[in-house]
């Protein structure tokens, strides 16, 4: 564990301290009160002020009040002034003050004399007086501060005090007087946010915090004291490993015993009765009412009022009006861990009885029963299963936890166990807890129950292990007496796996068979596979229709059917159908629904759908953002199924930007995942590799990379439905490689696809574009450009415009060629397609147009103008003071999308704090207002 940990999460406060110190050094007195609950870092920030003052050459007089100072008038202030270097008050002066200070009649003389001493020192050197724990100081010291600060306002003296003003507000009233004279400022310390907590972990262990450590650290509630103690005890117990560059926490899930002891030691000042009150609250969990604690302890509510007040005043509990919560979850858990086992079980049994009698939530009653019960308690198992059934459709993760509790109570040879395992595996998989689901399912395979195989296969499908999915579903369907509903589930799961293994025909057949069941969730899931198969085979309208029917069925059926998220496949079909705005709406609504339902398994897929739709529309920056967020979400969940596809979206974006080296890295990473069993459509990889080969001057290599794709295009035109400019590119690659047969196949496949879907303008345009290139027909290319104008795929349209402009130039129509290139360049700039932009600019130079004319069009690489619209929406809210979570809720985005947008904005602006971000936003607003002013317009 590293020794010195820098201050994190306090950029605003440190900036404020530096500003005040600068004012004092310049010759003016100032005061600063650092306030906040226990453990928020008041003393740490005070020490930082002392360190900075010493760096500036100021004299520092610092002291820390204790309980004894209440009966020792002025001892805090006098000790600070005596122990400074050099001393503000020498030994002789201190002796004189001590001789006369005990007389009440001389208290004002004492204050006047102290003021004279400080004034004399301040004339020669700036002074910082730093006093900690001022809520414990005596009344005479408080009076001294109240009178001395205004009196010495013309001298370079800074008064910094830290303490809990809510603990004894009488000693801090003088601050209000200071504030009235604009002499002082106040810092109210809040808990550290999630970014600061992760940064603190990284500083402590020298490596980024892994998911487990980050989650444990978050339970500190952002309290620096608890966080520091927790990480120190984790390190001392050897539970943190930094192998592989990530700090991972191991061992059991309990808190380190040293941490539990340290937290409980902090509560020793509370009365025994208040500690009993907190123990009861820790057993009940959060939130709890004083009535529930009274019932649990067998006391009258009125008898607990003083304990309640003491716990709130000590900042251990938060009073929410009707209920109480622990200020920090780690404190609650530390109190809970200190209870002996028998006492803990007895309290849980009593808590279950109290909550049941009061009509409390079934899940809470069941959890208390489980924690207070012995093995194989029938009543507890039934209660847990009933509660899980009630919660499964709205909170699958919590429901899975309840069933895990039930499984701990069910004997291994119990006939109920296999069905319970299957239910638990499915819930954990739906909640995105893939590794847990897989481990539990594999542990029960020896029982040869098809429902267990179905649950495990679904978990593996979410994880992207399609070969294993097919293997397990086939084994299960070969078992005798498989119930019809279970068989239908197995068929639907296998259909999805076959899609990822490049077998849409068999996938479609299995999905159609699965849909014969009467179970709505299975019908919806199978319909999603049928829609995806129809889309892969070029039947776009049918794909939209099937997915739309599945959405209606899920909405009508509710519950488990909604967890199948048919909107995901509807969004993909709408993207292929050129209905990009509708697809956007569907993806946004579906991802919000996924968060509401807790079905985390689907989250990476929503990101993929949005990334692909953005790329098809030519919004490359937004496509990159969604793909990066999806990758982060996949890695967080441990569900890597969609990561290779996300990497290939990123590769396509980087190719359009001209960064072939980065595209190559992304391709290699996707291939590594493929070798680990994570599949993706093979034509997507072939397409990316072909583009790279062609741009490197190797058209024959491009055709070779696409060899299998050219052969299967007529029957499987998936690439042409996903990439609007793929068909003409395939023709161009083949023509430049003298592969006329492949060029003809690509053009024919594009025409067949367009004829299958006559209402999709971009498919019609793509077919015309491919045919124009194949036959060298300029008029057909003109028709292609006109067709592209009716569709939303701006990048494909821009590429056709560049081709058309070259034809106009060859025909001697220079002015027309320039106009078309200008239109193309505007579109390409909007898309951020730097490689194609360079081509268009080169063509303009050939026509005598200087490229500098277009520099103002291109999006800047850095600075405010470089931010995308999506990034600007996030930045505006964060600059207003919203947290990442609040901004995500306001914009209906996931937290990870907001994190990604904000990280990109910080990099583009070259900043590292929210304060700097707010400053940039303010300057941008001021510049915008100036541009719109009448004077600016006249100029």
């Amino acid at each position: 564990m590293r020794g010195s940990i820098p201050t994190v999460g306090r950029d605003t406060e440190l900036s404020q301290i530096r500003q005040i110190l600068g004012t004092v050094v310049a010759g003016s007195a100032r005061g600063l009160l650092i306030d906040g609950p226990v453990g928020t870092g008041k003393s740490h920030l005070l020490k930082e002020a002392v360190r900075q003052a010493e760096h500036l050459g100021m004299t520092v007089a610092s002291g820390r009040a204790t309980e004894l100072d209440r009966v020792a008038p002025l001892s805090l202030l006098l000790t600070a002034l005596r122990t400074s270097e050099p001393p503000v008050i020498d030994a002789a002066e201190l002796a004189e003050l001590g001789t006369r200070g005990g007389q009440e009649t001389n208290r004002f003389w004492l204050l006047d004399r102290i003021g004279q001493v400080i004034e004399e020192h301040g004339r020669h050197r700036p002074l910082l007086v730093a006093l900690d724990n001022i809520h414990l100081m005596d009344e005479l010291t408080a009076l001294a501060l109240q009178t001395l600060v205004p009196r010495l306002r013309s001298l370079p003296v800074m008064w910094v005090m830290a303490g809990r003003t809510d603990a004894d507000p009488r000693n801090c009233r003088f601050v209000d007087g200071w504030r009235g004279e604009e002499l002082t400022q106040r810092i109210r310390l809040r808990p550290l946010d999630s970014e600061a907590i992760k940064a603190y972990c990284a500083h402590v262990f020298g490596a980024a915090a892994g998911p487990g450590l980050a989650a444990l650290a978050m339970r500190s509630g952002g309290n620096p004291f608890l966080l520091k103690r927790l990480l120190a005890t984790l390190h001392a117990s050897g539970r943190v490993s930094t192998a592989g560059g990530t700090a991972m926490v191991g061992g059991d899930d309990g808190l380190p015993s040293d941490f539990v002891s340290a937290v409980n030691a902090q509560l020793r000042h509370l009365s025994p009765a208040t500690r009993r009150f907190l123990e009861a609250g820790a057993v009940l969990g959060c939130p709890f009412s004083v009535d529930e604690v009274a019932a649990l302890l067998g006391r009258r509510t009125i008898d607990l009022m003083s304990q309640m007040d003491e716990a709130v005043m000590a900042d251990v509990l938060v009073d929410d009006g009707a209920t109480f919560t622990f200020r920090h979850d780690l404190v609650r858990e530390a109190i809970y861990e200190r209870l002996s086992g028998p006492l803990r079980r007895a309290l849980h049994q009593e808590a279950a009885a109290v909550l049941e009698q009061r009509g409390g939530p079934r899940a809470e009653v069941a959890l208390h029963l489980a924690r207070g019960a012995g093995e194989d308690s029938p009543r507890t198992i039934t209660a847990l299963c009933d509660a899980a059934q009630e919660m499964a459709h709205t909170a699958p993760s919590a429901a899975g936890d309840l069933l895990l509790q039930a499984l701990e109570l069910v004997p291994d040879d119990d006939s109920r166990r296999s069905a319970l395992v299957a239910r638990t595996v499915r819930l954990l998989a739906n909640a995105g807890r893939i590794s847990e689901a897989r481990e539990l399912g594999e542990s029960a395979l020896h029982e040869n129950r098809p429902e267990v195989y179905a649950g495990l296969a679904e978990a593996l499908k979410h994880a992207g292990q399609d070969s294993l999915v097919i293997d397990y579903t086939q084994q299960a369907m070969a078992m005798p007496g498989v119930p019809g509903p279970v068989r239908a589930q197995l068929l639907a799961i296998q259909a999805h796996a076959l899609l990822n293994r490049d077998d849409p025909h068999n996938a479609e057949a299995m999905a159609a068979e699965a849909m014969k069941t009467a179970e709505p969730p299975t019908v919806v899931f199978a319909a999603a596979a049928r829609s995806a198969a129809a889309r892969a085979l070029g039947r776009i309208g049918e794909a939209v229709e099937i997915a739309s029917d599945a959405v209606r069925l899920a909405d009508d059926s509710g519950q488990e059917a909604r967890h199948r998220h048919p909107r995901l496949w509807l969004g993909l079909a709408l993207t292929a159908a050129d209905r990009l705005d509708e697809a956007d709406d569907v993806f946004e609504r579906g991802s919000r629904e996924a968060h509401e339902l807790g079905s985390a398994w689907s989250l990476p897929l929503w990101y993929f759908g949005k990334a692909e739709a953005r790329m098809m529309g030519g919004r490359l920056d937004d496509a990159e953002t969604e793909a990066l967020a999806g990758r982060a979400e996949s890695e967080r969940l441990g569900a890597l199924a969609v990561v290779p596809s996300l990497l290939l979206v990123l590769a396509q974006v980087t190719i359009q930007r001209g960064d072939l080296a980065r595209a190559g890295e992304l391709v290699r990473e996707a291939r590594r995942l493929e070798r680990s069993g994570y599949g993706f459509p093979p034509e997507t990889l072939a397409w990316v590799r072909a583009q790279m080969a062609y741009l490197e001057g190797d058209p024959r290599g491009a055709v070779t990379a696409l060899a299998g794709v050219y052969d299967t295009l007529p029957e499987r035109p998936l690439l042409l439905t996903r990439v609007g400019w793929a068909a003409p590119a395939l023709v161009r690659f083949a023509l430049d490689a003298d592969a006329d047969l492949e060029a003809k196949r690509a053009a024919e496949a594009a025409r067949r696809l367009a004829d299958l879907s006559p209402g999709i303008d971009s498919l019609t345009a793509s077919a015309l574009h491919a045919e124009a290139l194949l036959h060298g027909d300029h008029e057909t290319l003109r028709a292609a450009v006109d067709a592209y104008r009716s569709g939303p795929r701006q990048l494909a349209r821009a590429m056709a415009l560049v081709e058309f402009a070259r034809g106009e130039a060859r025909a001697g129509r220079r002015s027309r060629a320039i106009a078309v290139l200008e239109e193309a360049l505007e579109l390409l700039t909007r898309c951020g397609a730097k490689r194609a932009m360079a081509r268009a600019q080169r063509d303009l130079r050939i026509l005598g147009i200087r490229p500098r004319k277009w520099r103002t069009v291109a999006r800047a690489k850095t600075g405010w103008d470089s931010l995308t619209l999506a990034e600007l929406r996030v930045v505006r809210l964060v600059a207003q003071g919203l947290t990442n979570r609040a901004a995500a809720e306001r914009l209906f985005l996931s937290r990870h999308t907001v994190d990604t947008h904000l990280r990109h904005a910080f990099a583009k602006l070259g900043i590292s704090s929210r304060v700097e971000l707010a400053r940039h936003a303010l300057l941008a607003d001021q510049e915008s207002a100036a541009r719109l002013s009448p004077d600016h317009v006249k100029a």
Side-chain angles (χ1 to χ4, degrees), residues 546-592:
I546 294 171
S548 298
D549 290 342
V551 168
R552 283 191 288 271
L553 177 58
D555 288 345
D556 291 342
S557 302
Q559 298 184 348
E560 188 178 347
R562 295 177 66 208
H563 281 270
R564 298 304 184 180
H565 295 297
R567 280 188 175 82
L568 178 60
W569 283 270
L570 175 58
L572 294 171
L574 289 171
T575 299
D578 258 8
R579 295 156 64 177
L580 298 187
D581 289 340
E582 292 178 64
D584 267 357
D585 292 340
V586 166
F587 286 134
E588 290 299 337
R589 178 176 175 182
S591 58
R592 289 200 301 270

Side-chain angles (χ1 to χ4, degrees), residues 77-276:
L77 182 57
L78 291 175
T79 301
L81 296 173
R82 177 180 60 83
T83 56
S84 64
E85 183 59 43
V88 177
I89 295 180
D90 59 25
E93 185 72 29
L94 186 63
E96 181 184 358
L97 293 175
T99 303
R100 303 180 63 177
Q103 304 174 26
E104 180 64 23
T105 55
N106 289 327
R107 63 186 306 184
F108 291 107
W109 177 88
L110 277 171
L111 300 183
D112 182 66
R113 184 61 187 138
I114 292 173
Q116 291 176 14
V117 171
I118 296 175
E119 184 175 359
E120 183 177 347
H121 184 93
R123 288 197 184 101
H124 300 91
R125 185 176 181 181
L127 171 66
L128 172 72
V129 180
L131 305 178
D132 201 1
N133 280 356
I134 62 168
H135 54 280
L136 298 177
M137 68 184 175
D138 63 282
E139 293 183 11
L140 190 54
T141 300
L143 178 61
L145 294 173
Q146 182 176 355
T147 59
L148 291 176
V149 174
R151 170 181 165 180
L152 302 174
R153 63 187 307 164
S154 62
L155 294 172
V157 180
M158 180 174 177
W159 307 81
V160 183
M161 288 143 291
R164 291 170 48 213
T165 60
D166 56 344
D168 192 349
R170 293 172 301 171
N171 279 352
C172 305
R173 287 175 183 165
F174 58 85
V175 175
D176 295 331
W178 289 0
R179 292 172 67 84
E181 298 185 48
E182 298 182 351
L183 285 172
T184 192
Q185 298 180 36
R186 186 171 190 159
I187 291 176
R188 174 71 177 178
L189 291 181
R190 304 296 180 186
L192 300 175
D193 61 20
S194 59
E195 294 174 4
I197 292 173
K198 291 177 183 177
Y200 193 93
C201 293
H203 284 302
V204 168
F205 296 109
L213 178 60
L216 185 57
M218 294 297 178
R219 286 160 59 192
S220 68
N223 184 280
F225 169 79
L226 292 176
L227 180 61
K228 181 179 179 181
R229 284 295 182 94
L230 173 65
L231 299 185
T233 51
L234 285 173
H235 180 269
S237 62
R239 286 179 55 185
V240 176
S241 167
T242 57
T246 301
M248 306 293 291
V249 63
D252 56 52
D253 294 332
L255 296 176
S257 58
D258 288 347
F259 176 78
V260 173
S261 300
V263 172
N264 280 278
Q266 287 293 115
L267 304 178
R268 283 182 301 186
H269 66 283
L270 299 176
S271 66
T274 299
R275 290 200 292 271
R276 300 293 86 75

Side-chain angles (χ1 to χ4, degrees), residues 819-897:
V820 173
L821 281 172
E822 288 176 344
E823 180 184 354
L825 191 54
E826 182 180 353
L827 288 171
L828 293 169
T829 303
R830 193 181 306 160
C831 295
K834 298 176 183 178
R835 178 180 61 82
M837 283 170 59
R839 289 176 54 201
Q841 289 174 328
R842 184 175 62 247
D843 289 352
L844 280 170
R845 279 195 296 268
I846 293 172
L847 293 171
I849 302 298
R850 297 179 64 184
R852 63 180 176 82
K853 179 180 178 181
W854 300 98
R855 289 176 183 167
T856 56
V857 180
R859 173 175 285 158
K861 294 181 180 179
T862 59
W864 190 263
D865 291 338
S866 70
L867 301 182
T868 66
L869 291 176
E871 290 164 354
L872 279 170
R873 286 195 293 270
V874 170
V875 163
R876 291 286 185 190
L877 292 179
V878 171
Q880 293 170 20
L882 271 68
T883 63
N884 290 19
R885 186 182 300 278
E889 292 172 355
R890 179 80 63 87
L891 295 171
F892 300 107
L893 299 173
S894 82
R895 169 69 182 276
H896 298 285
T897 299

Side-chain angles (χ1 to χ4, degrees), residues 21-100:
L21 282 168
T23 302
V24 172
V25 171
S28 299
R30 286 291 184 273
L32 175 65
L33 175 64
I34 304 172
D35 189 14
V38 173
T40 49
K42 299 180 295 296
S43 298
H44 182 82
L45 204 59
L46 184 80
K47 291 176 182 177
E48 184 62 27
V50 167
R51 188 189 67 78
Q52 292 188 26
E54 290 174 341
H55 180 72
L56 292 171
M58 300 175 66
T59 300
V60 174
S62 60
R64 180 182 178 88
T66 66
E67 290 284 352
L68 296 176
D69 288 311
R70 293 185 183 275
V71 293
L74 280 178
S75 63
L76 171 64
L77 182 57
L78 291 175
T79 301
L81 296 173
R82 177 180 60 83
T83 56
S84 64
E85 183 59 43
V88 177
I89 295 180
D90 59 25
E93 185 72 29
L94 186 63
E96 181 184 358
L97 293 175
T99 303
R100 303 180 63 177

Side-chain angles (χ1 to χ4, degrees), residues 393-397 430-431 562-563 565 587-607 610 626 629 633 636-637 885 888-889 891-898:
H393 305 306
T394 55
S397 185
N430 285 345
R562 295 177 66 208
H563 281 270
H565 295 297
F587 286 134
E588 290 299 337
R589 178 176 175 182
S591 58
R592 289 200 301 270
E593 185 178 62
H595 282 287
E596 292 166 3
L597 295 174
S599 46
W601 69 269
S602 69
L603 296 180
L605 290 168
W606 295 108
Y607 285 114
K610 287 187 282 188
E626 297 295 344
E633 185 70 34
R636 184 182 71 84
L637 294 171
R885 186 182 300 278
E889 292 172 355
L891 295 171
F892 300 107
L893 299 173
S894 82
R895 169 69 182 276
H896 298 285
T897 299
V898 170

